[in-house]
Amino acid sequence: MKQIAELLNEMCRAGVITNYALFGATAQIRYTEPVTTLDADLLVSIETEENRLDLLSPVYHFCHEKGYLPEGEAIRVGEWPVQFIPVFSPLTREAMEKAETADFEGVPFRVVQADYLAVIALSVGRAKDFARILALLESGSVQPKQINELAQRHNLSDAWDKFQRRFLNE
Amino acid sequence: MNNQSIEELFKRQAQWQKNRRLLSWAEKIHWVEKVRKTVLELKCKK
């Protein structure tokens, strides 16, 4: 994971990407008990002409130069297959921009905050995403009120109401 | 096991889980890396 942090910081300095933040399960682990996962997900923003189909090609090129090679849809960095995901909505862009800079064994590493992780999970809506929201709530790293506010701002109030009825009604 | 001993067991488990949360993020990531490695090794053996 340290190698990923170093690679991303280097990519930023080189101007390949303009910003990044770790999200998904590896980011969740910062706030909750460990959960198993097979890959690391990264939100990235890349300044390029809009709608380019090969949006990630500068990222792949940079990784290749550093000796990190593709593995399926990911790039293998040390022990981890890394999925680079360009920010794909106002929610993910905001999540990336408001990410916290954490410390991973001495290396700064931008990580999406717990409330944004919960609302991104809400927007995706698979069983494992609901489990993520519950784990974040149980850990106390996010409060229902924060999710409610963020969900409202990103037109996810219905999804949040449904989630509450299904999982939080006591 | 009676209800009281089960309650005690849950209390101990909750405390244990709380302590696990006190691990640093890097420690938890290394824990996951080890689990991943074991799973992949088992998969390769099949």
Side-chain angles (χ1 to χ4, degrees):
Chain A
M1 193 57 69
K2 191 174 173 180
Q3 259 177 295
I4 301 174
E6 286 166 341
L7 176 69
L8 265 293
N9 293 332
E10 215 175 317
M11 240 182 234
C12 263
R13 281 195 299 273
V16 176
I17 54 174
T18 53
N19 205 352
Y20 76 88
L22 186 71
F23 78 122
T26 47
Q28 177 197 326
I29 293 167
R30 184 164 179 242
Y31 307 101
T32 69
E33 281 190 63
V35 288
T36 50
T37 180
L38 292 178
D39 50 18
D41 299 323
L42 279 151
L43 285 171
V44 291
S45 71
I46 301 160
E47 233 170 63
T48 183
E49 300 149 35
E50 274 186 38
N51 301 325
R52 271 186 61 172
L53 287 174
D54 57 347
L55 191 63
L56 284 171
S57 71
V59 169
Y60 275 71
H61 185 71
F62 187 86
C63 289
H64 190 266
E65 278 185 344
K66 299 280 168 192
Y68 300 121
L69 302 175
E71 189 181 281
E73 285 185 33
I75 293 176
R76 161 77 59 170
V77 182
E79 295 197 32
W80 291 90
V82 180
Q83 293 254 25
F84 291 91
I85 301 164
V87 283
F88 54 89
S89 64
L91 172 63
T92 52
R93 178 167 292 281
E94 199 176 299
M96 183 194 65
E97 282 166 359
K98 293 196 172 171
E100 283 178 337
T101 303
D103 177 288
F104 195 95
E105 296 177 331
V107 181
F109 200 3
R110 291 178 55 76
V111 185
V112 168
Q113 294 191 55
D115 50 351
Y116 282 94
L117 282 178
V119 179
I120 291 172
L122 187 68
S123 73
V124 182
R126 299 161 301 183
K128 69 174 187 177
D129 299 301
F130 294 145
R132 175 166 303 151
I133 301 170
L134 290 169
L136 289 164
L137 285 166
E138 194 185 56
S139 70
S141 50
V142 66
Q143 299 303 317
K145 194 174 165 249
Q146 290 170 277
I147 298 178
N148 187 42
E149 284 169 9
L150 204 47
Q152 236 172 21
R153 275 206 294 115
H154 291 279
N155 301 320
L156 289 162
S157 288
D158 289 348
W160 174 236
D161 289 343
K162 201 172 164 189
F163 178 89
Q164 285 189 102
R165 279 198 303 277
R166 197 167 163 196
F167 299 106
L168 302 181
N169 274 348
E170 286 166 4
Chain B
M1 263 181 141
N2 60 25
N3 281 352
Q4 201 187 344
S5 56
I6 290 172
E7 269 176 33
E8 288 300 316
L9 176 74
F10 283 152
K11 269 184 201 161
R12 284 201 303 276
Q13 193 188 36
Q15 191 54 44
W16 180 58
Q17 286 175 343
K18 214 174 179 180
N19 291 340
R20 249 183 340 196
R21 277 206 289 268
L22 296 178
L23 293 174
S24 73
W25 181 41
E27 284 168 328
K28 289 188 277 187
I29 289 286
H30 289 314
W31 185 93
V32 176
E33 284 172 345
K34 281 192 179 132
V35 172
R36 270 188 82 247
K37 206 175 164 193
T38 310
V39 170
L40 293 173
E41 277 169 4
L42 286 170
K43 208 179 161 191
C44 288
K45 275 185 190 168
K46 274 191 177 179

